[in-house]
């Protein structure tokens, strides 16, 4: 007998946002405060500029990130978590604690001859 679990639509929507590749890492980096595009990219190796641009737009549309444009020469743009985004800190901390307990990492190989 199979037991069906009814998913809460809000829970499902939250995972649609947070479950996208790179989104959690972007939020984690942004928890330290406002960031310029290049600073986010520098902190997440292997994340392409195209994907970062798309994720930032999605997070902005979801009300998690706000984009600030400063009319300077050259124009300066910063991204910042909204209150809704900053409220994800406890979620990110919980995932970090779980990962520390349960995710095994390969040990780096020692150089030969040592």
């Amino acid at each position: 007998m199979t037991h069906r679990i009814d998913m809460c639509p809000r829970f499902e929507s939250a995972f649609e946002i947070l479950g996208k590749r790179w989104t959690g890492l972007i939020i984690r980096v942004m928890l330290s405060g406002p960031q310029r595009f290049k600073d986010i990219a520098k902190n997440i190796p292997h994340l392409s500029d195209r994907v970062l641009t798309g994720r930032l737009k999605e997070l902005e549309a979801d009300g998690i990130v706000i984009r600030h444009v400063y009319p300077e020469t050259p124009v300066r743009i910063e991204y910042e978590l909204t209150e809704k985004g900053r409220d994800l800190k406890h979620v990110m901390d919980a995932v970090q604690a779980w990962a520390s307990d349960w995710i095994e990492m390969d040990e780096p190989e020692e150089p030969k001859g040592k």
Side-chain angles (χ1 to χ4, degrees), residues 4 7 9 11 13 27 30 38 47 53 55-56 60 83 86 88 96 98 100 111:
R4 183 176 169 352
M7 288 291 165
F11 182 86
S13 292
I27 292 168
M30 294 184 69
K38 66 181 177 76
L47 171 59
T53 297
R55 291 298 183 273
L56 288 170
E60 189 175 6
E83 180 181 358
R86 289 188 305 272
L88 287 166
Q96 178 64 61
W98 178 85
S100 295

Side-chain angles (χ1 to χ4, degrees), residues 38-103:
K38 66 181 177 76
D39 297 322
I40 298 169
K42 178 178 66 177
N43 281 295
I44 307 174
H46 311 295
L47 171 59
S48 73
D49 288 353
R50 181 184 60 79
V51 172
L52 178 55
T53 297
R55 291 298 183 273
L56 288 170
K57 285 180 180 178
E58 291 167 359
L59 290 169
E60 189 175 6
D62 290 328
I64 293 171
V65 167
I66 189 165
R67 181 176 183 258
H68 298 287
V69 179
Y70 298 96
E72 302 169 350
T73 305
V75 172
R76 180 170 51 104
I77 300 172
E78 287 184 343
Y79 297 89
E80 182 178 15
L81 292 174
T82 62
E83 180 181 358
K84 181 178 178 179
R86 289 188 305 272
D87 202 35
L88 287 166
K89 182 181 184 323
H90 66 281
V91 174
M92 295 297 152
D93 290 345
V95 171
Q96 178 64 61
W98 178 85
S100 295
D101 289 344
W102 293 101
I103 301 296

Side-chain angles (χ1 to χ4, degrees), residues 17-18 20-29 92:
I17 295 167
L18 299 176
K20 285 191 175 178
R21 186 168 187 197
W22 306 110
T23 299
L25 298 176
I26 293 166
I27 292 168
R28 185 70 166 182
V29 166
M92 295 297 152

